[in-house]
């Protein structure tokens, strides 16, 4: 790998979970690019007050904010931080209860309250950055905290795209707060198939592909949510194996729970096919350019790669250059809505009938695509090069 050419030696600061493979991959990129290893500031240290960004950031630093996922102690702290904002909004737990939660692999804990805590954390981070800039401590942030916050909110992203004439799957016209309300709206509008998504989530957490027959009698749901009853109480888990539910009580239980946490509901558009699979696309935009592309194949309506779905080299689809130009144009336009972010992962659907590209989601941490290269670079190296502009030969 060629080394990055810079006039000065930059220092990267990565805010994340030190044990996470994302940080290991980024550190490897820095090493191979001839740059010093990043200073890692853990979410847990920041959340518990053992570290502060004011004491870490120096002039000329480059800040990378990584995914906070896959660390239960950090999840607990975000839930605890979200308590105050939810005190008048329904079911929540106290900060003390949050940090005393018992870990169960795959269990989904209070996603709305988690987002409130994550939101408070990112807003505080943004305020810290602004205070440092005002004190003439100049540094670069790869993806701005408030951009990340918006990307995590599916409803806001959907509306932002609509406001800017970027095509997205149509959403249901009114707020959905229960299974019964969802059914009422679907039957009234003649809509037989929808996606019900947790408004604040990532990695296919809390997504249900729900459909009913023309009379609204028979129903089924494909979902990553695994429902388990314990002492007659429902417990909800993330599953990497897609579940199909046909029992009315189970479906109602799952959707009612999702609605209590907050949902975004949109039409379930048939996806394009490839050799018996449905597919959509993940495209990483870096510095305003469409770079890394991967096709996500599935036998179910959910295409996320971590669910065990296959991936395909984009060239194997044999799409026309004109269609690729349309796909990349909508991806770049969508990423441009987040002008203070160097990169984003865009999920794009080609509806089966129209083949008109539409944005499904915008992912703040959507650049984890090991083994996918553009011009010989993986996503992390392409991001580093985008910051400095050139290689040292």
């Amino acid at each position: 790998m060629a080394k990055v050419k810079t006039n000065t030696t930059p220092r990267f600061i990565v805010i994340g979970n030190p044990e996470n493979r994302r940080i290991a991959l980024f550190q490897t990129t820095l090493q191979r690019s001839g740059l010093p290893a990043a200073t890692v500031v853990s979410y847990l240290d920041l959340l518990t007050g053992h570290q502060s960004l004011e004491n870490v950031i120096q002039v000329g630093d480059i800040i990378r904010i990584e995914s906070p996922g896959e660390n239960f102690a950090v999840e607990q702290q975000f839930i605890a931080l979200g308590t105050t904002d939810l005190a008048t909004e329904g079911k929540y737990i106290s900060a003390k209860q949050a940090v005393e939660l018992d870990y169960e692999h795959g269990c989904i804990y209070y996603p709305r309250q988690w987002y409130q805590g994550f939101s408070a954390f990112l807003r505080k981070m943004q305020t810290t950055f602004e205070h440092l800039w005002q004190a003439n401590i100049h540094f670069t942030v790869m993806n701005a905290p408030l951009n990340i916050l918006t990307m995590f909110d599916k409803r806001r992203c959907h509306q932002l795209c609509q406001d800017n004439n970027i095509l997205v799957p149509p959403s249901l016209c009114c707020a959905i707060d229960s299974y019964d309300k969802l059914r009422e709206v679907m039957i009234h509008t003649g809509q037989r198939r929808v996606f019900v998504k947790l408004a604040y989530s990532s990695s296919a957490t809390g997504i249900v592909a729900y459909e009913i027959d023309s009379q609204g009698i028979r129903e089924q749901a494909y979902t990553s949510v695994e429902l388990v009853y314990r002492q007659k109480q429902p417990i909800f888990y993330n599953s990497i194996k897609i579940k199909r539910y046909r029992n009315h009580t189970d479906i109602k239980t799952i959707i009612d729970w999702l609605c209590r946490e907050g949902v975004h509901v949109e039409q379930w558009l048939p996806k394009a096919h490839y050799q018996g699979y449905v597919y959509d696309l993940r495209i990483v935009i870096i510095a305003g350019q469409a770079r890394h592309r991967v096709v996500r194949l599935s036998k179910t309506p959910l295409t996320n790669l971590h669910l065990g779905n296959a991936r395909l080299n984009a060239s194997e689809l044999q799409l026309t250059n004109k269609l690729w130009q349309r796909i990349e144009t909508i991806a770049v336009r969508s990423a441009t809505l987040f002008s203070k972010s160097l990169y984003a992962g865009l999920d794009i659907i080609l509806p089966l009938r129209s083949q008109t590209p539409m944005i499904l989601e915008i992912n703040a941490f959507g650049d984890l695509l090991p083994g996918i290269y553009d011009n010989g670079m993986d996503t992390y190296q392409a991001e580093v090069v985008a910051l400095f502009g050139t290689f040292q030969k």
Side-chain angles (χ1 to χ4, degrees):
M1 180 186 294
K3 295 184 178 181
V4 172
K5 180 181 179 180
T6 65
N7 294 324
T8 60
T9 301
R11 186 178 77 142
F12 281 86
I13 294 176
V14 180
I15 299 167
N17 297 325
E19 75 285 356
N20 194 278
R21 65 170 175 155
R22 292 171 179 264
I23 290 180
L25 289 169
F26 188 70
Q27 294 282 38
T28 297
T29 289
L30 294 180
Q31 180 185 27
R32 296 177 66 195
S33 300
L35 296 170
T39 297
V40 179
V41 179
S42 79
Y43 275 108
L44 193 58
D45 282 349
L46 292 174
L47 286 161
T48 57
H50 288 92
Q51 184 61 280
S52 68
L53 292 175
E54 293 94 333
N55 295 332
V56 175
I57 297 175
Q58 301 172 8
V59 172
D61 285 346
I62 300 171
I63 315 299
R64 178 181 178 87
I65 304 170
E66 260 299 357
S67 168
E70 302 178 8
N71 184 305
F72 184 59
V74 170
E75 184 176 356
Q76 289 174 294
Q77 290 295 326
F78 280 133
I79 295 171
L81 189 59
T83 298
T84 302
D85 291 335
L86 287 175
T88 60
E89 295 186 19
K91 184 178 180 181
Y92 70 101
I93 60 174
S94 69
K96 182 176 185 294
Q97 289 170 317
V99 298
E100 291 177 349
L101 285 169
D102 292 326
Y103 174 74
E104 286 191 66
H105 182 71
C107 189
I108 307 173
Y109 297 93
Y110 306 96
R112 183 178 62 167
Q113 188 168 335
W114 178 92
Y115 178 77
Q116 292 294 331
F118 189 49
S119 174
F121 178 84
L122 289 177
R123 292 183 189 281
K124 180 181 178 181
M125 185 186 296
Q126 181 67 37
T127 299
T128 298
F129 289 169
E130 290 171 359
H131 287 165
L132 290 170
W133 286 321
Q134 290 168 6
N136 290 320
I137 300 173
H138 301 294
F139 56 93
T140 300
V141 181
M142 293 176 71
N143 278 12
L146 298 187
N147 276 188
I148 294 171
L149 185 61
T150 300
M151 288 187 222
F152 255 86
D153 187 333
K154 292 180 175 60
R155 291 182 290 207
R156 285 181 65 190
C157 278
H158 191 275
Q159 188 62 53
L160 191 59
C161 286
Q162 286 187 316
D163 292 345
N164 287 274
N165 298 313
I166 294 172
L167 289 177
V168 288
S171 60
L172 266 63
C173 60
C174 59
I176 303 298
D177 57 8
S178 68
Y179 167 87
D180 290 337
K181 181 64 174 181
L182 174 65
R183 297 260 309 174
E184 175 189 327
V185 173
M186 290 178 67
I187 292 170
H188 178 72
T189 60
Q191 183 62 248
R192 293 176 54 192
R193 307 171 87 216
V194 297
F195 270 99
V196 181
K197 304 178 179 181
L198 275 175
Y200 321 113
S201 69
S202 61
S203 303
T205 299
I207 294 183
V208 177
Y210 176 65
E211 59 184 331
I212 59 177
D213 66 14
S214 57
Q215 288 77 41
I217 299 172
R218 288 184 296 178
E219 60 185 342
Q220 66 177 358
Y222 294 89
T223 179
S224 59
V225 177
E226 181 176 1
L227 171 62
V228 175
Y229 289 95
R230 184 179 300 158
Q231 297 178 346
K232 299 185 179 180
Q233 295 298 313
I235 310 293
F236 305 94
Y237 295 87
N238 263 326
S239 172
I240 61 172
K241 183 177 181 181
I242 299 303
K243 306 293 182 181
R244 182 171 69 171
Y245 293 92
R246 291 177 171 171
N247 178 274
H248 165 77
T249 300
D250 289 344
I251 294 174
K252 184 178 189 304
T253 298
I254 291 171
I255 292 179
D256 275 339
W257 168 71
L258 292 173
C259 289
R260 286 195 298 273
E261 297 292 338
V263 293
H264 169 68
V265 183
E266 61 189 29
Q267 290 184 20
W268 171 0
L269 299 175
K271 295 176 179 176
H273 292 172
Y274 176 85
Q275 296 186 359
Y277 294 85
V278 300
Y279 73 85
D280 60 17
L281 305 166
R282 164 68 60 88
I283 298 183
V284 178
I285 305 299
I286 301 173
Q289 295 185 350
R291 300 295 302 270
H292 302 75
R293 307 181 295 186
V294 65
V295 183
R296 308 187 303 182
L297 303 171
S298 180
K299 291 289 188 179
T300 78
L302 278 66
T303 55
N304 301 69
L305 294 177
H306 81 281
L307 298 176
N309 291 315
R311 68 183 189 180
L312 181 75
N313 190 299
S315 63
E316 296 184 55
L317 287 180
Q318 298 184 338
L319 302 181
T320 65
N321 289 335
K322 183 177 180 180
L323 181 52
W324 272 120
Q325 289 174 359
R326 292 169 65 193
I327 292 168
E328 293 184 357
T329 295
I330 192 174
V332 169
R333 284 188 61 209
S334 302
T336 303
L337 298 176
F338 301 91
S339 60
K340 295 183 178 181
S341 290
L342 178 69
Y343 58 90
L346 284 294
D347 294 340
I348 298 173
I349 182 178
L350 297 176
L352 182 60
R353 296 182 180 86
S354 70
Q355 291 279 288
T356 301
M358 293 184 179
I359 296 296
L360 290 176
E361 293 189 17
I362 304 172
N363 303 276
F365 306 121
D367 59 342
L368 180 63
L369 291 178
I372 301 297
Y373 298 92
D374 178 68
N375 291 328
M377 293 180 285
D378 65 17
T379 53
Y380 295 141
Q381 187 189 4
E383 290 160 8
V384 171
V385 170
L387 287 168
F388 303 116
T390 186
F391 282 135
Q392 177 181 345
K393 299 298 186 181

